[in-house]
């Protein structure tokens, strides 16, 4: 009974260690992720502009979405700079 | 004839009531991030929730017990506290996400921040619960929810390839970003298998005074309503794959999601999206607030019933009266609505064994079900999905949280 409990604790500890160690992303991985997010926000801004231009989005919402894209882009650029700096 | 009408109404309710902020956001994220690859997660969730809803209805029809009532009676109050806390906590988080969804729909329509709309949205939900009857809450909100069929129209207009949709039903390994892939998968399962759905359904069956004569209606409603409802979630995913994935756009904010319908349907699509988000979240908000009150009142043996006047079931009424403003405060505080939604869905998946296993024990007890106990297929299907979702959630949630 006691041995079973010790085994269960060890398995749980191993799982936690594996999870935490897997979370430490390399700078390259972080930079790649930030670049993908940046491209995503740039594409969002383009699509919002196109949709607004053809009248598919009301002006009020197009402004909200453009603002969100701008904030997302700025955040991704900052993350990219942090990941690229030594 | 009346049974056929009941089945038709039940299916319509299932379709209109399936989509809410959780399934909308997670399906959109899945389609944008991974194309059609995660359709299997929706299918798995739909199979599981169809079984669970059928079980909850069967328990109510045969034993005339609601789920919390039967759990407390069968396992005792001390054991019952575990599912009470787990279901109560995840339901509260999901309620906060739904109120946030209504507030966001109002923001998209008006330009005024969702933080301003959160409390009025909660007040509107409360008012309808205070004044309305169970029929109004259940059928009214779900019928309005049929507006979400717009996503099916959108997917058809976008010519979503059927072969890719069918191929997505088979689970495949992710080609990139495995942590996000599995986190999205468990969030989708959590959104589909929200405990509030089957707890609410069991209370509704007792409110509607079901007996064994309703077992056929129950089976048809659960299977067809959930399957068609899941079809709308697949349509959301398909729209996201066709509009966002092909342009390399991932969903990080709610402001990106209206593009799913404005692209294929123009300005009308934008307003259909706003209506879908607002109505679906409002309907889900009504059901979850009511389910929280059912859970606590039935669990502690208080008088309960949406068809009673508030003063006739004062403590029951007090639960949703307190839960709604508290849930709205999460949005007022400025918590990101998309993060709140996705995290609450993943936590729902994590809590599944706690909420599902006691139900399975009850469903195999002849004292409650007589000759209508579960077969091995439903036991195995529900247990397997719940345990797998919980294990994947245990690994994916810390990875995703720490990674982001």
């Amino acid at each position: 009974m006691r041995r079973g409990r010790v085994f269960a604790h060890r398995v749980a500890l191993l799982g936690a260690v594996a999870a935490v160690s897997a979370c430490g992303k390399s700078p390259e991985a972080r930079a790649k992720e930030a670049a993908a997010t940046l491209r995503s926000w740039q594409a969002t801004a383009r699509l919002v502009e196109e949709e607004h231009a053809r009248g598919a989005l009301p002006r009020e919402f197009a402004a909200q979405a453009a603002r969100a894209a701008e904030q997302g882009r700025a955040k991704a650029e900052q993350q990219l700079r942090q990941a690229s700096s030594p | 004839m009346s049974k056929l009408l009941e089945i038709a109404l039940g299916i319509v309710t299932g379709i209109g009531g399936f989509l809410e902020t959780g399934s909308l956001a997670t399906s959109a994220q899945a389609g944008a991030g991974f194309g059609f690859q995660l359709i299997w997660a929706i299918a798995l969730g739909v199979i599981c929730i169809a079984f669970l809803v059928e079980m909850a209805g069967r328990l109510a029809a045969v034993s005339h017990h609601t789920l919390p009532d039967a759990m407390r009676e069968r396992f005792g109050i001390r054991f019952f506290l575990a599912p009470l806390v787990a279901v109560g906590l995840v339901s509260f988080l999901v309620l906060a996400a739904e109120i946030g969804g209504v507030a966001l729909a109002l923001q998209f329509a008006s330009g005024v921040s969702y933080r301003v709309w959160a409390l009025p949205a909660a007040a509107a939900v409360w008012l309808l619960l205070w004044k309305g009857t169970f029929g109004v809450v259940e059928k009214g909100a779900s019928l309005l929810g049929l507006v979400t069929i717009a996503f099916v129209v959108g997917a058809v207009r976008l010519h979503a390839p059927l072969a890719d949709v069918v191929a997505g039903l088979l689970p495949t390994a992710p080609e990139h970003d495995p942590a996000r892939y599995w986190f999205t998968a468990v969030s989708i399962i959590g959104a589909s298998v929200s405990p509030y759905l089957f707890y609410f359904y069991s209370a509704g069956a007792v409110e509607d005074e079901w007996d064994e004569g309703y077992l056929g209606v129950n089976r048809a409603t659960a299977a067809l309503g959930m399957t068609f409802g899941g079809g709308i979630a697949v349509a959301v995913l398909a729209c996201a794959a066709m509009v966002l994935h092909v342009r390399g756009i991932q969903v990080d904010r709610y402001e990106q999601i209206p593009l799913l319908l404005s692209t294929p349907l123009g300005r009308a699509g934008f307003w259909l999206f706003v209506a879908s988000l607002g109505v679906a979240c409002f309907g889900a908000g009504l059901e979850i607030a009511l389910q929280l009150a059912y859970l606590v009142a039935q669990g502690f043996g208080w008088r309960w019933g949406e068809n009673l006047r508030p003063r006739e079931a004062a403590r029951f009424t007090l639960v949703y009266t307190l839960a709604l403003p508290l849930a709205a405060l999460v949005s007022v505080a400025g918590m990101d609505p998309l993060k709140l939604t996705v995290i609450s869905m993943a936590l729902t998946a994590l809590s599944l064994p706690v909420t599902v296993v006691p139900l399975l024990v009850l469903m195999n007890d002849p004292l409650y079900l007589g000759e209508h106990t579960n077969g091995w297929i439903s036991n195995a299907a529900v247990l397997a999905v719940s345990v797998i979702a919980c294990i994947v959630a245990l690994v994916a949630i810390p990875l995703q949280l720490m990674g982001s």
Side-chain angles (χ1 to χ4, degrees):
Chain A
M1 183 72 180
R2 196 170 172 278
R3 284 176 69 183
R5 206 175 292 163
V6 170
F7 178 72
H9 283 162
R10 282 183 184 165
V11 169
L13 188 67
L14 196 66
V17 169
V20 171
S21 58
C23 294
K25 285 186 181 172
S26 65
E28 291 79 20
R30 284 187 188 281
K32 201 175 155 191
E33 204 172 274
T37 307
L38 181 60
R39 280 196 300 275
S40 161
W41 281 117
Q42 287 165 340
T44 302
R46 272 197 303 277
L47 183 58
V48 167
E49 213 173 285
E50 284 166 24
E51 291 292 290
H52 180 46
R54 75 178 183 100
L57 294 176
R59 190 166 49 88
E60 188 59 61
F61 175 75
Q64 289 176 46
R67 216 165 27 243
E70 182 51 36
Q71 288 166 357
R73 195 183 56 78
K75 195 175 163 193
E77 276 175 350
Q78 190 190 359
Q79 283 167 347
L80 193 58
R81 272 197 301 275
Q82 281 172 354
S84 308
S85 63
Chain B
M1 187 61 192
S2 69
K3 284 277 161 71
L4 276 177
L5 195 68
E6 290 257 12
I7 291 173
L9 203 55
I11 293 168
V12 167
T13 308
I15 297 169
F18 191 90
L19 204 71
E20 37 74 60
T21 186
S23 42
L24 179 61
T26 55
S27 300
Q29 281 195 321
F34 302 96
F36 296 91
Q37 219 183 339
L38 273 166
I39 289 180
W40 64 266
I42 298 177
L44 208 60
V46 165
I47 291 169
C48 192
I49 192 63
F51 274 119
L52 287 168
V53 163
E54 191 278 330
M55 286 179 201
R58 181 155 37 101
L59 176 75
V62 177
S63 74
H64 307 290
H65 280 75
T66 62
L67 224 46
D69 185 19
M71 273 187 201
R72 181 177 50 88
E73 188 182 276
R74 171 74 168 73
F75 304 109
I77 187 72
R78 285 180 67 184
F79 177 88
F80 172 70
L81 286 176
L84 175 76
V85 170
V87 176
L89 191 67
V90 294
S91 295
F92 177 79
L93 286 174
V94 179
L95 177 63
E98 305 297 348
I99 298 292
V102 180
L104 264 173
L106 291 166
Q107 175 187 312
F108 293 165
S110 68
V112 177
S113 168
Y114 72 94
R115 296 172 69 175
V116 176
W117 285 114
L119 278 169
V125 172
W126 175 83
L127 190 65
L128 197 56
L129 287 177
W130 183 273
K131 292 278 183 196
T133 59
F134 183 77
V136 170
V137 171
E138 188 198 26
K139 306 284 190 307
S142 297
L143 286 174
L144 286 175
L146 287 177
V147 68
T148 56
I149 290 176
F151 285 100
V152 179
V153 179
V156 172
R157 287 285 293 269
L158 288 162
H159 304 291
L162 197 59
D164 288 357
V165 173
V166 174
L169 286 167
L170 283 178
T172 44
E175 289 152 13
H176 60 92
D177 227 340
R180 196 154 61 92
Y181 178 88
W182 292 112
F183 183 79
T184 310
V186 289
S187 302
I188 288 176
I189 294 173
S192 309
V193 195
S194 274
Y196 89 84
L197 279 170
F198 51 95
Y199 275 75
F200 180 79
Y201 190 82
S202 89
V206 171
E207 289 246 30
D208 286 341
E209 298 177 350
W210 280 16
D211 55 27
E212 288 187 34
Y214 279 83
L215 288 177
V217 174
N218 175 48
R219 202 170 299 135
T221 302
L224 297 175
M226 293 299 127
T227 304
F228 285 124
I232 296 183
V234 171
V236 173
L237 186 147
C239 288
M242 299 298 288
V243 174
L244 305 181
H245 183 66
V246 293
R247 292 175 170 87
I249 298 174
Q250 59 200 37
V251 173
D252 292 313
R253 295 266 299 252
Y254 259 108
E255 282 85 345
Q256 294 165 295
I257 310 182
L259 297 165
L260 301 190
L261 286 185
S262 71
T263 304
L265 303 174
R267 179 74 67 105
F270 170 78
W271 289 112
L272 281 169
F273 176 85
V274 171
S276 295
L277 180 66
V279 168
C281 292
F282 190 81
L286 282 170
E287 292 184 1
I288 298 167
L290 201 51
Q291 180 259 325
L292 270 168
Y294 283 140
L295 177 73
V296 177
Q298 291 161 2
F300 289 107
W302 301 341
R303 196 154 188 236
W304 61 273
E306 176 59 4
N307 291 331
L308 297 174
R309 289 182 182 168
R311 68 165 176 268
E312 292 171 334
R315 285 179 291 187
F316 166 78
T317 308
L318 184 67
V319 176
Y320 68 70
T321 300
L322 290 176
L324 279 162
L326 286 175
L329 284 179
V330 177
S331 289
V332 173
M335 171 102 190
D336 180 67
L338 188 62
K339 273 195 185 134
L340 172 66
T341 303
V342 175
I343 288 172
S344 58
M345 298 307 141
L347 288 176
T348 301
L350 189 66
S351 71
L352 275 178
V354 183
T355 55
V356 162
V357 171
L359 170 62
L360 284 182
V361 174
L362 279 173
M363 295 309 296
N364 287 281
D365 189 340
L367 279 175
Y368 285 88
L369 273 299
E371 58 181 313
H372 300 288
T373 49
N374 269 4
W376 70 270
I377 294 178
S378 46
N379 282 334
V382 169
L383 196 62
V385 174
S386 306
V387 171
I388 291 169
C390 177
I391 292 170
V392 177
L394 263 177
V395 178
I397 291 174
L399 284 177
Q400 180 66 15
L401 289 180
M402 294 172 83
S404 62

